[in-house]
Amino acid sequence: MAAGLALAAFLLPALPAGDALAEPKPTIAEAKKKLEKLNDQADKIVEKYNQAGEKWKKARARYRTLNGALEKQNAKVAGLRRELVTMAVSSYQVGTVTGWEGLVTQADPGALLSGMAAVDQMSALRAQSLTAFEEATETLRTDRDKAKAALAEADGYRDELAKEKAKADKMVKAQVKLLRELGAYRAGNPDSPGITYTGPASGSAREALEFAFAQVGKPYQYGGTGPGGWDCSGLVQAAWRAGGVSLPRTTWEQWSWGAGRRVSLDDLQPGDLIFSEGLGHVSLFAGGGQIVHAPQTGDVVKVVDLSSYGRRLVGAVRP
């Protein structure tokens, strides 16, 4: 009873005093319309969350790469420093060069270079070593700055990710609440064996669809990349990975990736990616007028007729 009253209050405007007894009950159609709008909003927020996560992963990977290069450069500079000192010591007796002890212990590479350059009768080999030392030191400094910038960028994306996740969490709670009030919430089975694909696809498209059909019955999970739960773009990415094609993670990235692979919605083939709701959702065309997709929170991976899909189609991409 409490759930029904909450749903009524959520869906219907307040009535003037005296009309309370005539207040109509919310219809299934009204509830579904509200849920459809909520699902569309959630699609976009979830994909923003996914996109923020991908940006952070890339920024973090860039930092790790630069940090590795920085460590190598450190080793190179240290080696060159030892080489220079060894050359100098082997050519000059200690004490013949004024201030040599202070020179070799100089912490500032620039000061060390200046001091070494002042040593008279320097051989071409020493000059080459000094040049290499200088270049390595400059590269070291540049890479260090890049590494710091990449790390700051990664941290910024991590903050962005946290904000988008908070939005997604809030939207998911609203979806779950409404679905439970309607008695339409489907938890799904993370261990679902799925179903067998028997459609007309062949080659890599068939492999992709066989994978997707094997996920049928598993729960939709925002940010999900399997194996126990999926969101729409995570399912499509994994399915085509099984078919030997590497797709980006999010719907927007997948759409951009397919810029040169767009196909007409009137010329769909099994395995094609179908984008809808302002690129907030993606599904796989299975042939025979059907699609397989991970719909939204409170639902499961399933196969439905494209004609009854009910979402605004944007376009299609053929991997």
Side-chain angles (χ1 to χ4, degrees), residues 213 274 284-292 303-307:
F213 272 57
I274 301 177
L284 285 177
F285 185 63
Q290 293 186 315
I291 60 171
V292 57
V303 179
V304 299
D305 291 334
L306 181 58
S307 61

Side-chain angles (χ1 to χ4, degrees), residues 233-253:
S233 54
L235 175 64
V236 167
Q237 181 190 45
W240 266 105
R241 185 188 301 123
V245 177
S246 179
L247 295 180
R249 171 66 179 91
T250 71
T251 55
W252 290 306
E253 289 175 322

Side-chain angles (χ1 to χ4, degrees), residues 3 50 52 61 77 88 124 134 138 146 149 158 221 243 246 260 263 271 302:
N50 289 339
V77 169
E134 184 177 20
E138 183 60 31
K146 289 182 180 178
R158 184 168 53 188
Q221 177 185 344
S246 179
V263 294
K302 59 186 179 182

Side-chain angles (χ1 to χ4, degrees), residues 14-29:
L15 293 175
D19 290 341
L21 296 178
E23 181 177 310
K25 295 181 179 180
T27 66
I28 294 297

